[in-house]
């Protein structure tokens, strides 16, 4: 398998693999109740520090994992975007699935968290769109899924803008959730229709 180019760019953003050096970003975002309102609630700094070696794991040549999202103009770290295994029984990603060069035996979901200072500026849509392009052009993924809490209208809007559509209501994150999905063929068709 050729080496993946994991640094991704858009007009405004640079996405690069998250590393343990991004602890500052993780602490700022994941201790913020507003950011974590729909993400299981804020964590303590000690919990975040303990999780960093896990959340920086990657698999399948690096195409499955978390990216740090950086503003290309200011070089500020503003959020994270991810392609990770969607949990079914658990209420969080099973990071132990990211240990080798194979795609984890789970559905791969797209997800994201951003600092409140960039909310409402189209950043989540821009980064998620680029990550979806990477998933279907540069990785072996054939489908990407996502789910969100019903009250999280902003996340639902992002998913719809990048082409995901309601698939079913089923078990995910230890509860019944609405699951959205897009296949590689659906994504290719959208690119052709412009």
């Amino acid at each position: 398998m050729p080496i993946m180019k994991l640094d991704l760019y858009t007009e405004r953003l640079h996405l690069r693999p998250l590393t343990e050096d991004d602890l500052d970003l993780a602490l700022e975002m994941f201790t913020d109740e507003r950011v974590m309102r729909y993400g299981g609630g804020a964590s303590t700094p000690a919990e975040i520090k303990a999780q960093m070696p896990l959340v920086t794991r990657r698999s399948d040549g690096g195409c499955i994992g978390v990216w740090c999202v950086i503003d290309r103009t200011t070089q500020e770290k503003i959020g994270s975007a991810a392609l990770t295994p969607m949990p079914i029984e658990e209420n969080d990603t099973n990071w132990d699935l990211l240990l080798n060069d194979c795609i984890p035996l789970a559905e791969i979901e797209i997800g994201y968290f951003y600092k409140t200072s960039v909310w409402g500026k189209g950043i989540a849509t821009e980064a998620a769109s680029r990550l979806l392009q990477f998933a279907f052009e540069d990785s072996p993924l054939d489908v990407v899924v996502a789910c969100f809490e019903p009250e999280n209208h902003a996340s639902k809007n992002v998913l719809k803008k990048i082409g995901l559509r309601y698939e079913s209501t089923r078990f995910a994150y230890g509860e019944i959730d609405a699951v959205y999905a897009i296949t590689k063929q659906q994504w290719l068709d959208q690119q052709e229709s412009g």
Side-chain angles (χ1 to χ4, degrees), residues 44-57:
T44 67
E47 289 169 334
I48 294 165
K49 288 175 188 173
Q51 287 284 315
M52 285 304 286
L54 299 176
V55 301
T56 55
R57 289 180 177 175

Side-chain angles (χ1 to χ4, degrees), residues 54-124:
L54 299 176
V55 301
T56 55
R57 289 180 177 175
R58 304 192 79 78
S59 66
D60 194 35
C63 72
I64 307 298
V66 182
W67 280 259
C68 178
V69 180
I70 301 164
D71 181 303
R72 290 180 68 180
T73 301
T74 65
Q75 297 303 305
E76 178 187 0
K77 300 173 192 177
I78 56 175
S80 64
L83 293 169
T84 53
M86 186 167 77
I88 304 301
E89 301 288 337
E90 305 89 359
N91 63 5
D92 193 11
T93 302
N94 181 353
W95 300 104
D96 290 340
L97 295 176
L98 301 178
L99 285 177
N100 53 46
D101 286 336
C102 299
I103 291 181
L105 294 175
E107 291 181 294
I108 301 302
E109 74 170 328
I110 191 166
Y112 34 82
F113 289 98
Y114 291 93
K115 293 180 181 181
T116 57
S117 60
V118 299
W119 287 4
K121 298 180 179 180
I123 298 293

Side-chain angles (χ1 to χ4, degrees), residues 83-186:
L83 293 169
T84 53
M86 186 167 77
I88 304 301
E89 301 288 337
E90 305 89 359
N91 63 5
D92 193 11
T93 302
N94 181 353
W95 300 104
D96 290 340
L97 295 176
L98 301 178
L99 285 177
N100 53 46
D101 286 336
C102 299
I103 291 181
L105 294 175
E107 291 181 294
I108 301 302
E109 74 170 328
I110 191 166
Y112 34 82
F113 289 98
Y114 291 93
K115 293 180 181 181
T116 57
S117 60
V118 299
W119 287 4
K121 298 180 179 180
I123 298 293
T125 301
E126 188 173 329
S129 180
R130 180 62 183 94
L131 202 52
L132 204 57
Q133 177 187 358
F134 168 80
F136 292 138
E137 287 184 351
D138 299 318
S139 88
L141 293 176
D142 288 320
V143 64
V144 171
V145 299
C147 66
F148 54 89
E149 292 192 27
E151 305 83 28
N152 192 348
H153 301 293
S155 192
K156 179 179 180 180
N157 290 339
V158 168
L159 296 175
K160 289 176 118 180
K161 284 179 187 175
I162 66 171
L164 278 79
R165 297 291 175 251
Y166 175 77
E167 179 188 65
S168 65
T169 299
R170 56 191 165 91
F171 214 62
Y173 285 91
E175 61 188 26
I176 301 296
D177 277 320
V179 175
Y180 281 60
I182 187 170
T183 66
K184 182 175 185 173
Q185 189 57 56
Q186 289 168 332

